[in-house]
Amino acid sequence: MPRRYNRLLLPFFLGLATALPALADEITFTDQFGRDVSLPGPAERLATIPIPAASMAVAVTGTPEPIVAMHRLSQTAIVEGILGEIFPGLRDIPSDIVGEGFMPNVEALLTVDPDLVLQWGTRGPDIVQPLEAAGFTVATLQYGSEEDAAQWIAMLGTALGQEDRATMILDWRFGALDTMQARAAGIAAEDRPRTLYFLRYLSSLRVAGEGTYNDFWIELGGGDNVADEGFQGFNDVNAEQIIAWDPEVIFLNGFEEALTPDDVYSNPLFADISAVTNRRVYKLPIGGYRWDPPNQESPLTWAWVASLLHPDRPVAGLRDDISARYEMLYGQAPDDQEIDAILRVDINGVSAAYEQFLR
């Protein structure tokens, strides 16, 4: 069963990023690696290197105005998804601030002059020290768990002067998590379909094992991740291993843009596995960000996954919830055609039980 996080932890998460005693308008908080970060006031110019951070910052502020630069893959997700349509200006924000291995492009960052730079803290000091040597204020992040995602939201709320919005988003998140955990607790082990998530399919057969966020939402949705026994993190496997697992449900990543369920259905190697014979292969949606990793829309991911794992007991009203939550996060509710695009109805519609998401 997934680790429990609920609304009772909200003060804890907010406490990690709440301003400490400081001068009148100064903001001081502790990042995820225990480093004190000080700003003269709410950051008005934010550069984000961790890929999900740009769209999360937009949600926390309700506007793209503080974002002055981002990772190019952040922009790719914005262009592929709906956020670039809601906020067209995001498409033109500089995305040349980072190179291979998340090494910062200091010259490009000096051009946009951010008040705060978000950078990974999990990849060593070599990608942080050039930023600090150039005089930038840096907050370091870690990634992968639901707890990490909640801390990102709380930290952004403090850094951007949007504590009330961060609290609102976290309250929704923890409330949804309470509901999903109660639902999952009522599903017996023998009723949990054998499930597999491909982080990569076209370039390699890379699956999500124990400790990944995908493992978290599979278990939360009432599935049994077949790759979490003997596999930690993400691993490349061969077709024989997939056949031996015989997954009943397969989820495909949203990162390989060309990938569709038909790529699995038409693969002769997998013709006899249960997910193929029963047409239960689905590609993860893309909205304000890709739904695979932890992000500002994760409660919608949980409901989508749970409804496909157990179509006999779906989470009701997903389309209405998408509309309401996008209004909350981005100030604009998508229309029916846009919701179809978020849910990838055009390619997922060939799969079993997807009619539950149709208008």
Side-chain angles (χ1 to χ4, degrees):
M1 291 295 293
R3 182 178 174 184
R4 287 192 63 86
Y5 305 108
N6 56 44
R7 68 176 65 242
L8 296 177
L9 292 175
L10 181 59
F12 168 75
F13 288 116
L14 292 175
L16 291 174
T18 298
L20 301 173
L23 300 176
D25 297 322
E26 185 180 4
I27 292 174
T28 302
F29 61 92
T30 303
D31 70 14
Q32 287 184 295
F33 286 81
R35 298 154 32 102
D36 289 338
V37 181
S38 296
L39 297 166
E44 297 179 354
R45 300 181 63 80
L46 176 69
T48 64
I49 293 176
I51 297 168
S55 61
M56 188 175 285
V58 171
V60 169
T61 59
T63 172
E65 290 180 5
I67 312 297
V68 296
M70 67 180 76
H71 194 289
R72 64 176 182 82
L73 293 180
S74 300
Q75 196 169 69
T76 299
I78 286 168
V79 171
E80 290 178 11
I82 194 174
L83 210 55
E85 297 178 17
I86 296 175
F87 301 114
L90 282 170
R91 298 169 177 262
D92 301 322
I93 289 176
S95 60
D96 60 347
I97 61 167
V98 59
E100 294 297 321
F102 294 95
M103 182 60 67
N105 181 341
V106 172
E107 290 185 2
L109 281 163
L110 287 169
T111 300
V112 297
D113 190 27
D115 301 328
L116 177 66
V117 179
L118 302 183
Q119 175 62 296
W120 293 119
T122 52
R123 297 171 178 262
D126 289 347
I127 63 172
V128 177
Q129 288 174 347
L131 295 168
E132 295 179 324
F136 295 116
T137 300
V138 182
T140 54
L141 306 178
Q142 64 185 11
Y143 168 86
S145 72
E146 178 57 21
E147 181 178 3
D148 290 330
Q151 290 180 19
W152 282 33
I153 293 168
M155 189 184 306
L156 283 166
T158 297
L160 297 169
Q162 296 288 342
E163 292 92 343
D164 288 346
R165 281 188 60 85
T167 299
M168 174 183 67
I169 294 169
L170 287 172
D171 192 55
W172 165 52
R173 196 174 188 101
F174 288 127
L177 192 53
D178 283 345
T179 299
M180 294 302 301
Q181 287 174 326
R183 180 183 184 279
I187 301 172
E190 60 270 21
D191 294 330
R192 290 173 167 260
R194 299 184 306 277
T195 307
L196 188 64
Y197 168 81
F198 282 103
L199 178 66
R200 293 290 181 269
Y201 181 86
L202 297 178
S203 57
S204 65
L205 298 177
R206 183 168 300 172
V207 299
E210 186 177 0
T212 63
Y213 195 71
N214 316 101
D215 179 55
F216 167 78
W217 51 245
I218 288 171
E219 300 292 333
L220 183 66
D224 174 22
N225 181 13
V226 294
D228 71 0
E229 294 186 10
F231 288 89
Q232 291 280 340
F234 297 107
N235 294 270
D236 288 341
V237 298
N238 55 34
E240 289 75 15
Q241 179 64 78
I242 306 297
I243 294 168
W245 278 328
D246 188 28
E248 297 171 89
V249 179
I250 290 175
F251 292 112
L252 302 176
N253 72 82
F255 298 94
E256 294 177 302
E257 185 178 0
L259 178 62
T260 74
D262 279 334
D263 290 306
V264 182
Y265 294 141
S266 62
N267 189 335
L269 294 175
F270 298 147
D272 295 326
I273 67 174
S274 297
V276 170
T277 59
N278 294 317
R279 308 286 291 185
R280 299 186 72 185
V281 180
Y282 312 96
K283 182 166 182 170
L284 267 291
I286 181 170
Y289 191 68
R290 298 179 180 93
W291 282 15
D292 316 38
N295 65 87
Q296 67 275 11
E297 298 177 15
S298 291
L300 302 174
T301 307
W302 308 335
W304 180 83
V305 168
S307 298
L308 292 170
L309 290 175
H310 296 277
D312 56 327
R313 47 179 303 186
V315 178
L318 179 60
R319 292 181 70 99
D320 289 340
D321 203 22
I322 291 172
S323 181
R325 297 309 173 180
Y326 275 51
E327 178 74 36
M328 178 185 81
L329 295 172
Y330 312 121
Q332 181 173 318
D335 61 26
D336 280 333
Q337 186 175 356
E338 289 169 330
I339 294 175
D340 286 348
I342 291 166
L343 296 175
R344 303 188 196 266
V345 168
D346 57 337
I347 60 174
N348 284 327
V350 302
S351 297
Y354 220 73
E355 65 274 5
Q356 66 182 298
F357 301 131
L358 302 183
R359 17 176 158 160

